[in-house]
Amino acid sequence: MNAVFAHLRISLRLHFRNRMALLYGYLFPVIFLVAFWVLYRHEKVPLLRHMGELLTVAVLGGACFGLPTTLVSERERGVWRRYRLTPVPTWVVVASTALARLFLLVTAGLLQLGLALALGMTWPAHPIALAVAFLFVAFAFIGLGLVIAALADNVPAVQALGQCLFLPMLIIGGVAVPLAALPEWAQHVSAFFPGRYAVEALQAAVNGRGFPGMRFCLLALSLTGVAGLVAGAKLFRWDGQQRFAALRGKAWLLVAIGAWLAVGAVAEWRGRVAIPADLDPARPAPAPVPAPSPSAPPPIASAPVTPIPAPRAATASSPAAVTPNPAPAPVLPVTPAPPWMSITAKDWDGLDYQVPPDHGIVTPMAAPDEEPDEYTKEQVDKVRAKLPTWSPGVDGDDLSCVRNLLYVAAVPDAIQMPVERYLPRVVYQYLLDSYPRENLMKMLTYIALHPLEGPVRDDISELGIEGAAGDPMLVRERAYLYAIKFLARLTGRKSE
Amino acid sequence: MSPTPKVRVGGLRKAYAGLAAVSGIDFTIAPGEIFGLLGPNGAGKTTTLECLVGLRHPDEGELEICGVDARRHPHEVKQKIGVVLQTTSLQDKITPREALTLFAAFYRQSTPAADLLARFGLVEKADVPVERLSGGQRQRLALALAFVNRPELVFLDEPTTGLDPQSRRELHELILALRRDGHTVLFTTHHLEEAEKLCDRVAIIDRGRIVATGAPRDLVAASREEQSVTIRTSPPLGADVFAALPGLTPVVVDGDTVRFQTKDATATLAALTARLREQRVEIRELTVRKASLEDLFLALTREGEP
Ligand SMILES: Nc1ncnc2c1ncn2[C@@H]1O[C@H](COP(=O)(O)OP(=O)(O)O)[C@@H](O)[C@H]1O
Ligand SMILES: [Mg+2]
């Protein structure tokens, strides 16, 4: 124990003397966080929804590169050979090196978290679950680091091997690029990489359901961690002259690979490969394209992902159609027929139904039989119960009410709340129940043709949903998209 | 009855991928002895030493160190020995004091870092990172680390190789001090003078075998009557010229220089010069002196060379 402590202490001291190690260990995660924050500062994408990814990247960097670089460079220069001349068992030195790394990862994680809080992130929902999830993630990736150290004959090989695991995990493993934005094959591939479970577990602790939402992930992470530890220990070389190719017992590598395959296979078998509902909040902003700031002139086509097409059918266009944020429609005592009454089938048939898929990031919509988890369900039920008494949805003219109701679906989507998949379904059902089908189709079509008309409602906190997108254009765009989605169902273009 | 030897090696064999590096080595080291393993590069010194200290698994042979079966209880042996290898280095940023403290934690018993720093002349460099130490200082640190566990026996693999003359002299002084303090030391070297100066006993090793063992003095005494002759000629001579001459011990041909030992230099040289005159060979240089350990070493290690 004395030896573990002594070696742990010296490992940490040496680490803090190594400028490069500090750079990678601490500056890198901080830069990542700040870059993310700067890139998305116009879009109200709270850091809270991305802490899982940011923490995972920090751990991945420290474990995939930092740990094996230390181990391999010490082995190369003969430090391990020297240790080998003393009675200290190999596991003592390996364990204390791993413990030192754990300390570094935890401090880097806390630094990242602290900085995020300083930048205005709200407190994580489940701090204890977050600590537990973080330890599991660190454990899994330290195991991976040991395997890399065992495979690499020298430091450049560590870099190469590390990149071979790091980059795929970042890009198609669900760590840096949202799973929902990936093609289906990549979603299947991601199930075989532990990075995805790391993000899921951390995110569930940060703003999801906590422990109930991360059981499978913790299992997957411990399995990959244990397998990495076993393979890393069995393949451990203390002699820098010994090449991996010349090593006996290379088959132990299969343990590590086997664990990844097993986790992926179980995930496939249990059908949790398609983006699970509780992962939704973990999705990053659509694309690293800065959204137009609210004060900018509103060229609609520059909205983040799906440009709103300029109204094609000029039918029933009103002078207010292209005026952004007009004053509330004046009450016209003499005009009996509101403008949407003149909409015909020709108008809704002329709309562009090419909209983002229901399971995507932008304007998601749960399938009719999809059940939210309990935490989300509670919120959804609350909104459903309040809708019939929600003033903007019942008072005033029908068109304004329908438009306001669309915002109930659009606002959570714009700020990526966990309920975003389910509220559109609630709103759709409420609309169906409240208006004659024909009228509903006309009003939705009118809204789709005049997306900039009427005031934007960015705040639905009266319904129990806290938060505001702060970006009227974004909310208008999403409301437009939901109008199209509802119309697709009403016109039978999409069957359910 | 003589005390139990500190090292007893019997029939040690080790091959790398089928190529024998050590083929049947036997020797013992008594307590308090400074024992030298002397041999040219590639003779198998490092292999022998690394088998003894538990870094390599011998193919065959018995190893007993400090009364412990080294192949069965390597960890027990490691508690009792100190080692300086030819090729190890510490982390760049570690300081001598930290290294000594760290290694002390690896053993059941240890000497305080401060004592070792004083003993090996590292007090002033105690808190300087290893990367800023000179070669000699690093070697002294390596030696200090070997003494951290108050070892019964110390192994040094070519401790002076690569050191400047000043550091080498300092290290010699340290080893002589070890002898005075009654330490048992096994060290390897390819330097004859070093072995002659420092060792109580040497084993000369060549191509994986021990070709002679004894005190340097005794080894030289065995050939005391012999004289060493070096002759340089033009054109160069072949070994065949000497075959017919009586009383010659092994002949070493090195380019145009030939070296041999003889018990009667006058008679041998008379016969040789007569022959050279016949063949019209010119003598460029000729030296005759008393045989040294070096001559013995060269004779033994060049034997059977093509
Ligand atoms: N790791 C190794 N693999 C293969 N051959 C080796 C290895 N180490 C040493 N040898 C060979 O074994 C022989 C003895 O080497 P070594 O014990 O290092 O000699 P010395 O220390 O006397 O110079 C040499 O021929 C050397 O080339
Ligand atoms: Mg050697």
Side-chain angles (χ1 to χ4, degrees), chain A residues 24-27 29-30 51 54-55 58-59 62 101-115 134:
Chain A
Y24 278 107
Y26 293 109
L27 199 60
V30 164
M51 267 330 275
L54 291 165
L55 289 170
V59 176
R101 179 56 55 177
L102 182 64
F103 176 86
L104 301 169
L105 293 179
V106 168
T107 46
L110 286 175
L111 181 68
Q112 229 182 18
L113 208 59
L115 191 66
F134 191 88

Side-chain angles (χ1 to χ4, degrees), chain A residues 103-190:
Chain A
F103 176 86
L104 301 169
L105 293 179
V106 168
T107 46
L110 286 175
L111 181 68
Q112 229 182 18
L113 208 59
L115 191 66
L117 289 171
L119 289 176
M121 189 184 86
T122 50
W123 194 251
H126 310 277
I128 293 174
L130 180 59
V132 171
F134 191 88
L135 290 179
F136 273 74
V137 172
F139 173 70
F141 289 141
I142 283 174
L144 177 59
L146 290 178
V147 174
I148 293 178
L151 290 178
D153 283 334
N154 47 47
V155 173
V158 170
Q159 296 298 325
L161 254 167
Q163 293 292 3
C164 285
L165 290 166
F166 191 68
L167 288 179
M169 249 192 277
L170 244 58
I171 296 163
I172 56 167
V175 175
V177 179
L179 284 170
L182 295 173
E184 201 172 318
W185 64 263
Q187 292 185 13
H188 286 279
V189 171
S190 74

Side-chain angles (χ1 to χ4, degrees), chain A residues 13 17 77 81 84 87, chain B residues 50 78 89-90 93 98:
Chain A
R13 275 198 197 180
R17 268 175 222 165
R77 57 182 26 240
R81 247 169 103 72
R84 182 80 178 173
Chain B
E50 289 186 352
K78 284 171 183 175
S89 63
L90 296 166
K93 307 273 180 200
E98 287 170 338

Side-chain angles (χ1 to χ4, degrees), chain A residues 382-390 393-394 405 408 426-427 430 463:
Chain A
K382 209 167 10 175
V383 174
R384 187 185 287 119
K386 282 184 176 171
L387 272 188
T389 54
W390 186 53
V394 287
L405 286 163
V408 176
V426 170
V427 169
Y430 180 80
L463 289 171

